[in-house]
Amino acid sequence: MLKIGDFSKLSRLSIRMLRHYDEIGLLVPERVDKHTSYRFYSAGQLSLANRIQALRDMGFSLSAIKEITSVYSDSDSLKKYLKIQHSQAKQEAEQAERRLQLLESALGRIGDENFMKHAVTAKEIPERHVASLRGVIPSYADESVLWEKMGDETKGLGMQIANPPLSLAVFHDEGYKESDVDVEIQVSVSGEYIDTENVRFRQIPAVFVASCVVKGSYDQLPGANEAIAIYVEENHYDFDGAMFCIYHVSPGHDANPDSWVTEVCFPVKKKLLP
């Protein structure tokens, strides 16, 4: 029989950890002296100790290791545990790689006047039920025409705004246009309503976007667009659909441009690497 100190050296597990494993029933000594409480282990228990250490190195929790060691001889059960852990480790590695890319991008942009002023994040806009109105207007500055039309056509519906109350404009043209722009406005709603002449109530699927929040006048939007373009390029995304602006605080809420809060969103997807 091996004393706990000798077993600790052979297994490369600390005495403190061996005592903890004993307490939780993971690696119980072969014998405990009832007078001195000294723990004694057998040489055969080194294989279990090595197995526990290998599973810990793979990132398994002690509770999971206890389950795995109880079915270690069952290859199908062991394979199931390892595949789950492999999938989790792969996701963590991808997240770590993304964090590294963001850090490298940030380090490279220190000194850029737009750095942090226009911070960009990638996120999912959840699925929404919306009131939608789409039309061709003379210019981007005429977007208020669509909002007024929606207000006129829905004022008798008792329409309930959803929480969060997302109001946004989607710009459907392939590129920037000087005139006759195709714009769709949307308001997230709760409940079911009958379509009006121009307003349609429909479900909008979730969308993954590169997003940049701007506080202040719309003069800042070109800087936000630039920051998003840099982010998309450096993080290996492709643009994937019509861009839109979420109006968290709009001219309809506050006439002071300094108070406006606009979230510029460009749908994106991961670039297919060659």
Side-chain angles (χ1 to χ4, degrees), residues 188-219:
S188 296
V189 298
S190 60
E192 298 296 326
Y193 306 93
I194 298 174
D195 292 347
T196 67
E197 181 181 355
N198 296 287
V199 178
R200 302 290 178 265
F201 294 92
R202 60 195 186 93
Q203 203 73 10
I204 304 295
V207 59
F208 190 74
V209 302
S211 159
C212 181
V213 177
V214 173
K215 188 175 189 304
S217 74
Y218 298 143
D219 293 340

Side-chain angles (χ1 to χ4, degrees), residues 8-26:
S8 173
K9 293 175 185 176
L10 290 164
S11 65
R12 297 180 297 167
L13 294 170
S14 69
I15 292 174
R16 179 188 64 81
M17 192 59 70
L18 287 171
R19 287 172 176 160
H20 179 57
Y21 288 173
D22 180 15
E23 290 170 359
I24 65 175
L26 180 58

Side-chain angles (χ1 to χ4, degrees), residues 2-151:
L2 300 168
K3 294 180 180 179
I4 192 170
D6 294 327
F7 191 81
S8 173
K9 293 175 185 176
L10 290 164
S11 65
R12 297 180 297 167
L13 294 170
S14 69
I15 292 174
R16 179 188 64 81
M17 192 59 70
L18 287 171
R19 287 172 176 160
H20 179 57
Y21 288 173
D22 180 15
E23 290 170 359
I24 65 175
L26 180 58
L27 178 53
V28 178
E30 191 80 13
R31 182 172 69 84
V32 178
D33 190 293
K34 62 182 179 180
H35 300 295
T36 64
S37 298
Y38 288 168
R39 295 172 171 83
F40 295 91
Y41 296 82
S42 68
Q45 288 182 290
L46 285 170
S47 61
L48 175 57
N50 291 337
R51 196 177 302 152
I52 292 170
Q53 188 62 31
L55 291 169
R56 282 196 67 190
D57 290 342
M58 294 177 198
F60 286 101
S61 66
L62 292 181
S63 59
I65 291 173
K66 190 173 180 181
E67 291 182 23
I68 295 169
T69 53
S70 68
V71 297
Y72 204 83
S73 58
D74 182 347
S75 59
D76 289 337
S77 296
L78 178 59
K79 185 176 182 179
K80 180 187 72 174
Y81 280 110
L82 293 178
K83 287 181 72 174
I84 292 171
Q85 189 68 7
H86 179 271
S87 177
Q88 292 175 347
K90 186 176 180 181
Q91 290 178 5
E92 291 169 1
E94 290 171 351
Q95 291 170 355
E97 177 63 26
R98 181 171 175 271
R99 285 194 294 269
L100 283 172
Q101 291 175 352
L102 291 173
L103 286 167
E104 290 170 0
S105 174
L107 285 169
R109 294 187 62 203
I110 291 176
D112 181 346
E113 64 178 7
N114 285 325
F115 177 62
M116 296 311 288
K117 179 182 178 182
H118 293 129
V120 180
T121 58
K123 67 177 188 179
E124 183 178 81
I125 306 294
E127 182 180 21
R128 297 164 289 122
H129 188 58
V130 305
S132 164
L133 189 152
R134 181 172 176 176
V136 176
I137 53 179
S139 70
Y140 298 104
D142 295 303
E143 186 184 311
S144 60
V145 172
L146 299 176
W147 291 104
E148 290 170 4
K149 183 181 288 186
M150 176 180 281

